Amino acid sequence: KINGSGHTVYNMEVPSCFINSLRGTLKNINFVDFENTSTTSNKAGIICTLTSNGSVENVYVEYPYLTAYSNNGIAYIGGIAGSSNASGCKISSCINEGKISSTRPHSGGIVGNLTNDVVIEKCINKGTVTSSNSNVGGIVGYAQGASVIKLCYNKGQIQGSGQEARCRDDHH
């Protein structure tokens, strides 16, 4: 369990993510000028993968630029998490104001890819999310299974091609 107690981490550079796989809790922390420096990682975000009942609460992120790469055609990139792949995971009260860019599918302002039973609530994306590929969204790039997205808001510009999962400019 990581409780940042409202503190801010400034100017952090990491290869791909601050946390590779989160099974516990990350809450009450801010990341400003967080940057991934990898040219080979296929996941990017504060957390690469949220799994096994993991939870994220009250996390603020401001990226100068976040991107993910892939040799096999798939990349997962999100302001908070690249992907969440286990039942019982929850992301709540998080804000992304970073710029996210990818040439691969699965790019979202909060999470790039959701599978299984994940809840995202009360989250805001104000950042730009762009991809020259498919599955791009203000809150989630791609979702499958019984995931729930509620009371979220997108104010960022979204650009992509092919299949797109866009969040309208209002509450859901």
Side-chain angles (χ1 to χ4, degrees):
K1 183 175 187 176
I2 300 172
N3 184 344
S5 299
H7 291 283
T8 301
V9 177
Y10 292 96
N11 303 315
M12 177 181 263
E13 290 185 8
V14 296
S16 61
C17 302
F18 176 66
I19 298 171
N20 186 49
S21 180
L22 180 66
R23 291 175 177 86
T25 301
L26 175 67
K27 67 180 185 177
N28 303 323
I29 191 166
N30 308 304
F31 295 90
V32 176
D33 291 333
F34 177 88
E35 187 172 3
N36 69 326
T37 56
S38 174
T39 58
T40 58
S41 177
N42 73 333
K43 292 183 183 175
I46 295 300
I47 303 157
C48 283
T49 303
L50 183 63
T51 189
S52 300
N53 294 310
S55 68
V56 182
E57 179 183 339
N58 196 28
V59 172
Y60 170 84
V61 181
E62 183 182 312
Y63 295 102
Y65 183 75
L66 180 68
T67 191
Y69 303 88
S70 175
N71 292 328
N72 67 1
I74 300 289
Y76 306 109
I77 180 170
I80 302 300
S83 69
S84 182
N85 62 8
S87 295
C89 293
K90 184 176 181 180
I91 299 173
S92 64
S93 302
C94 294
I95 300 172
N96 173 54
E97 289 199 39
K99 297 174 186 166
I100 295 172
S101 177
S102 180
T103 59
R104 300 293 183 215
H106 310 294
S107 301
I110 302 299
V111 180
N113 183 62
L114 289 181
T115 57
N116 297 316
D117 183 20
V118 178
V119 175
I120 299 178
E121 65 182 1
K122 300 177 186 172
C123 291
I124 301 169
N125 176 56
K126 296 180 180 180
T128 300
V129 183
T130 60
S131 176
S132 57
N133 215 301
S134 61
N135 302 321
V136 182
I139 302 302
V140 175
Y142 181 77
Q144 61 185 12
S147 295
V148 175
I149 302 167
K150 62 183 177 180
L151 301 172
C152 292
Y153 189 80
N154 177 61
K155 196 64 177 166
Q157 181 181 5
I158 311 302
Q159 291 182 309
S161 63
Q163 289 177 282
E164 296 182 43
R166 294 182 182 236
C167 178
R168 294 189 321 249
D169 220 10
D170 56 8
H171 296 278
H172 294 280

